């Protein structure tokens, strides 16, 4: 799976979690950019990504993430392991 494929899948996850079909994300997107992105939604995003990509994230990995691009890079790395 390419990084672009992962971005497309993550885009759909964000749209589902935030119930906004027009929501657009990019590498620099972070919690400050999306009004409803709170701790509950953050957990929902992580759970949805774990389900979509059939993987588990370590809490330490997740806590280091600063934006969507870093999340995509983490997913790609874990898929290559």
């Amino acid at each position: 799976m390419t990084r672009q494929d992962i971005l497309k899948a993550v885009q759909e996850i964000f749209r589902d979690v935030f119930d906004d079909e027009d929501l657009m994300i990019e590498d620099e997107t972070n919690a400050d950019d999306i009004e409803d992105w709170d701790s509950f939604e953050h957990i929902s995003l992580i759970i949805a990504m774990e389900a979509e990509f059939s993987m588990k994230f370590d809490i330490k990995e997740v806590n280091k993430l600063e934006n969507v691009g870093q999340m995509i890079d983490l997913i790609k790395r874990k898929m290559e392991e």
Side-chain angles (χ1 to χ4, degrees):
M1 183 174 254
T2 68
R3 192 175 191 286
Q4 188 62 32
D5 293 334
I6 296 169
L7 175 61
K8 286 180 186 175
V10 169
Q11 174 80 64
E12 289 306 312
I13 291 168
F14 268 77
R15 288 177 176 173
D16 288 344
V17 168
F18 292 105
D19 195 28
D20 181 352
E21 287 301 314
D22 298 323
L23 182 63
M24 296 298 294
I25 60 167
E26 50 193 36
D27 281 354
E28 298 79 24
T29 302
N30 63 42
D32 294 333
D33 299 321
I34 300 175
E35 184 177 341
D36 294 333
W37 191 343
D38 57 18
S39 58
F40 177 75
E41 297 300 345
H42 189 75
I43 292 168
S44 297
L45 285 169
I46 298 300
I47 291 169
M49 288 185 210
E50 288 179 333
E52 174 70 24
F53 298 105
S54 301
M55 61 180 59
K56 287 286 185 190
F57 298 110
D58 183 282
I59 191 70
K60 292 176 187 174
E61 294 171 322
V62 174
N63 285 340
K64 291 180 183 177
L65 301 175
E66 296 178 10
N67 56 43
V68 171
Q70 289 180 2
M71 172 56 89
I72 292 168
D73 292 340
L74 174 61
I75 292 168
K76 183 143 177 60
R77 268 195 318 276
K78 290 180 87 63
M79 291 177 91
E80 293 171 349
E81 290 178 350

